[in-house]
Amino acid sequence: MRAWWREIAGLVLPVACGGCGRPRTELCEQCAAALAEVPRRVRPDPAPAGLPVVHAAAPYENAVRAMLLAHKERGALGLAGALGGALAGAVRAGTGQSGDVGPLLLVPVPSARRATAARGHDPARRIALAAAAELRRGGTAARVLAVLRQRRAVADQAGLGARARQVNLAGALEAAAGARRLLAGGRVVLVDDLLTTGASLAEAARAVRAAGGAGHGAAPALRAAVVSASPSAFEINRN
């Protein structure tokens, strides 16, 4: 009901730009341009073991940070299209023209159950759906497989350092029953809205590999894409 109400409210209430607050537009041209950077490979320092190659559309700062927070925490669901478009660009940058058979399988990193319940939606999954639609419009076969689940409760990540986040998330995710067959149908790309320490993506990669979805034998290397990453992660790979 909360998600339904947000959708209706967005149609009848005055809107403001999710990036700068400019009235009467959900996203102004200047803030949209912040998502139009050339996606780059990013990597946190230190990087957790098992972290796949990650590409990000933009640094997590200024308008991009405001847009992600508006979408995630304040129910600005109409921003999913723009954020998904940026994510699609990062997916393209990470997968390139590999010639692999089968569609791109976008696997979103799931939010904690209590966070999803409080927000009324799963931000990463919503953005992933928009990214898959954008990829298909560009002629790339793509679909979302929300096959990862939390197998145990985790503490709030806010305020935790890199090592503490890794400990907090270790073994927290698992693939749903039947995921192995689904993940074998294409090239798996883990997707999320934000990379900070990399702990969430590393744990998601472990769960996918444990399910046999990527990284075994002749399977293609696992890749990941995010809308944004911490500015320091961009600096590490600026060259």
Side-chain angles (χ1 to χ4, degrees):
M1 288 295 293
R2 185 182 292 110
W4 175 84
W5 172 247
R6 283 173 174 168
E7 297 276 12
I8 297 299
L11 296 175
V12 299
L13 297 178
V15 297
C17 175
C20 65
R22 181 177 298 177
R24 298 183 182 178
T25 178
E26 196 161 43
L27 184 61
C28 71
E29 291 183 4
Q30 289 85 345
C31 291
L35 290 172
E37 293 193 18
V38 176
R40 283 190 284 170
R41 182 174 175 177
V42 293
R43 192 165 183 84
D45 185 18
L51 181 69
V53 171
V54 187
H55 282 76
Y60 184 65
E61 58 188 2
N62 304 325
V64 173
R65 180 178 183 276
M67 283 184 275
L68 284 169
L69 289 175
H71 175 261
K72 178 183 287 187
E73 306 295 353
R74 298 196 295 278
L77 305 183
L79 292 173
L83 297 172
L87 178 60
V91 171
R92 292 190 191 99
T95 55
Q97 301 298 322
S98 64
D100 290 320
V101 177
L104 293 178
L105 306 177
L106 307 190
V107 177
V109 177
S111 300
R113 293 189 187 97
R114 62 179 176 273
T116 300
R119 293 168 180 152
H121 73 121
D122 186 329
R125 184 174 184 273
R126 184 178 288 270
I127 294 173
L129 288 168
E134 176 65 20
L135 289 165
R136 290 193 296 271
R137 282 192 290 271
T140 300
R143 58 193 177 103
V144 175
L145 291 182
V147 297
L148 295 182
R149 305 283 188 273
Q150 279 199 326
R151 60 187 299 269
R152 64 169 177 80
V154 297
D156 189 343
Q157 296 275 84
L160 298 181
R163 179 57 184 165
R165 288 188 177 210
Q166 292 175 41
V167 172
N168 183 42
L169 292 173
L173 298 179
E174 64 181 358
R180 184 185 186 95
R181 176 180 58 80
L182 294 172
L183 294 170
R187 187 173 189 186
V188 178
V189 183
L190 296 170
V191 295
D192 206 352
D193 56 355
L194 171 65
L195 177 142
T196 50
T197 67
S200 296
L201 279 174
E203 171 57 17
R206 181 206 61 77
V208 166
R209 289 174 178 134
H216 294 286
L222 191 62
R223 292 290 186 267
V226 295
V227 176
S228 67
S230 62
S232 61
F234 265 80
E235 287 298 310
I236 290 170
N237 290 284
R238 66 183 181 277
N239 296 320

